[in-house]
Amino acid sequence: MRLLLSSALALLVASSLRADGKPQAFPEPTQFDARPAVIKQNDDALALAYSPSGEVVAVAGADKTVKLFAAASGKPLDTLAGHTDAVTCLAFSRDGTRLASGGYDKKVRVWDLATKKELFALAGHQNPVLCVAFLNDNTLLSGGGARTVNSWRL
């Protein structure tokens, strides 16, 4: 599978507003090269996330892994393995030092991106984890198919 990453992803709208009251685009379109990088995957890509710096793209896959790529070139950087089923969601911490992932194994995993090691494997969902978001440096939110949102103190 080939994913084309381009500045089109920069059009995702954040909840904050600019001074003129219009939605602010995040990340800023000027942060990324207009030429797309091609990222090659061996399996279906189910989610992706840009690091806050815009230098790394994380891709969650049906192959039970999270792959890290250089955003500018599409070059593979590393693979995070630990999930036992498809990975469905990703979120970088605000400082870009950690990555949260969730999946069909009903677990949320938090990774240290400097060491590429798993910091936490959080169990508590009764159904697949469908979304994750860092609320702040110490709190992670995750949602699943059981109509619940869990708050995790890290």
Side-chain angles (χ1 to χ4, degrees):
M1 173 179 210
R2 292 165 54 115
L3 295 174
L4 294 179
L5 300 176
S6 69
S7 60
L9 290 173
L11 298 177
L12 295 173
V13 178
S15 60
S16 61
L17 299 177
R18 299 186 314 213
D20 62 5
K22 294 182 180 176
Q24 176 178 328
F26 177 83
E28 290 296 324
T30 56
Q31 185 175 353
F32 300 105
D33 190 336
R35 293 169 293 152
V38 177
I39 293 178
K40 296 180 182 179
Q41 281 280 106
N42 293 329
D43 208 338
D44 292 339
L46 302 178
L48 61 92
Y50 267 108
S51 66
S53 68
E55 295 176 4
V56 176
V57 177
V59 180
D63 64 355
K64 308 174 192 173
T65 66
V66 176
K67 292 185 175 64
L68 304 176
F69 297 90
S73 67
K75 176 185 172 192
L77 300 174
D78 223 320
T79 298
L80 307 176
H83 283 279
T84 58
D85 207 337
V87 183
T88 57
C89 51
L90 299 167
F92 280 94
S93 62
R94 291 181 184 186
D95 63 5
T97 61
R98 293 175 290 167
L99 179 71
S101 60
Y104 276 93
D105 61 1
K106 305 174 189 170
K107 294 217 169 107
V108 175
R109 297 179 191 277
V110 179
W111 308 89
D112 180 305
L113 293 176
T115 64
K116 310 303 185 279
K117 303 263 187 218
E118 183 181 284
L119 296 173
F120 305 101
L122 307 169
H125 283 278
Q126 301 302 311
N127 290 314
V129 179
L130 303 175
C131 55
V132 290
F134 279 91
L135 182 61
N136 56 43
D137 290 339
N138 300 318
T139 307
L140 178 70
L141 302 175
S142 61
R147 300 178 184 166
T148 60
V149 174
N150 290 352
S151 177
W152 307 96
R153 192 112 178 122
L154 305 177

